[in-house]
Amino acid sequence: VIAVAAALWWFSHDSPRRMYDQARDLRATDPIQATRLLQQSVAASEGDFPAAQLLQTQMLAELGRWDDALGCFNSIKDPTACEFERLLELAENAISVNARLLAQMALDAANRKEPGQERVLRVLISLAFDWGQHQVALGHCQQLADAAPDDPYPWLVRARIHHQTERVGPAIE
């Protein structure tokens, strides 16, 4: 009797994961309903469902609601728990519309020791350099040099930064 009652309860109540799966299925055809389901799944998870929050962030970004997307992403308690490739997709979309902070946050969350980290570091270096954040770029250069010692990219960027800032000694090292 208890097992039957538990099964009935399980199938009559939407779990956060089930609502997330439904939202993913509805994403292309009914984004409004998908967004509602994602909000419900996050609420049912007490605000801690990184995959759902990231999907909601991506959907808001696709709708051009970049400020809302940033707020949504910022509410993820541990963005490093998000899927690596989804973080890169979000960052690429944010870069394409110059949503710098969201791009930076997504890339920072994706910057972890796993296959693909070198790609993330190259993008972080490039963005920091382009945005004039030379100290940040130098920090990422060091990370990339440690992760891939044979990669010339961090050394070239370092030399360019030091040359531009007229620090000749470090530029030739």
Side-chain angles (χ1 to χ4, degrees):
V1 173
I2 293 174
V4 171
L8 284 173
W9 179 86
W10 173 258
F11 287 108
S12 65
H13 291 85
D14 283 332
S15 71
R17 183 68 195 190
R18 189 171 308 149
M19 288 184 278
Y20 168 75
D21 290 339
Q22 289 172 341
R24 265 194 348 216
D25 294 341
L26 290 172
R27 180 179 181 181
T29 59
D30 191 353
I32 305 237
Q33 179 61 19
T35 300
R36 283 190 200 117
L37 286 166
L38 289 170
Q39 289 170 341
Q40 291 171 1
S41 71
V42 171
S45 301
E46 298 176 2
D48 192 18
F49 192 168
Q53 291 166 289
L54 183 59
L55 181 58
Q56 187 174 7
T57 300
Q58 288 174 307
M59 291 179 64
L60 289 166
E62 289 167 4
L63 295 171
R65 296 173 49 192
W66 291 99
D67 290 339
D68 293 335
L70 177 61
C72 187
F73 188 84
N74 206 30
S75 72
I76 301 173
K77 292 178 183 172
D78 181 15
T80 63
C82 295
E83 188 180 338
F84 180 81
E85 288 299 325
R86 302 295 77 82
L87 288 166
L88 288 183
E89 286 175 12
L90 177 61
E92 289 170 357
N93 288 339
I95 290 167
S96 73
V97 297
N98 206 26
R100 291 180 177 189
L101 184 56
L102 183 55
Q104 182 75 45
M105 292 169 65
L107 288 167
D108 285 342
N111 185 12
R112 51 191 183 229
K113 293 198 183 302
E114 66 176 64
Q117 181 189 24
E118 293 171 20
R119 186 170 98 202
V120 170
L121 286 168
R122 281 188 196 89
V123 175
L124 282 167
I125 291 167
S126 176
L127 291 177
F129 182 82
D130 291 347
W131 296 338
Q133 299 171 330
H134 293 153
Q135 291 305 313
V136 173
L138 290 171
H140 293 310
C141 283
Q142 185 60 52
Q143 279 186 287
L144 182 55
D146 292 343
D150 295 331
D151 187 342
Y153 185 67
W155 304 103
L156 295 171
V157 173
R158 278 181 176 169
R160 189 165 178 198
I161 289 171
H162 292 307
H163 177 72
Q164 283 183 346
T165 58
E166 298 181 2
R167 294 179 57 207
V168 176
I172 58 175
E173 290 179 356

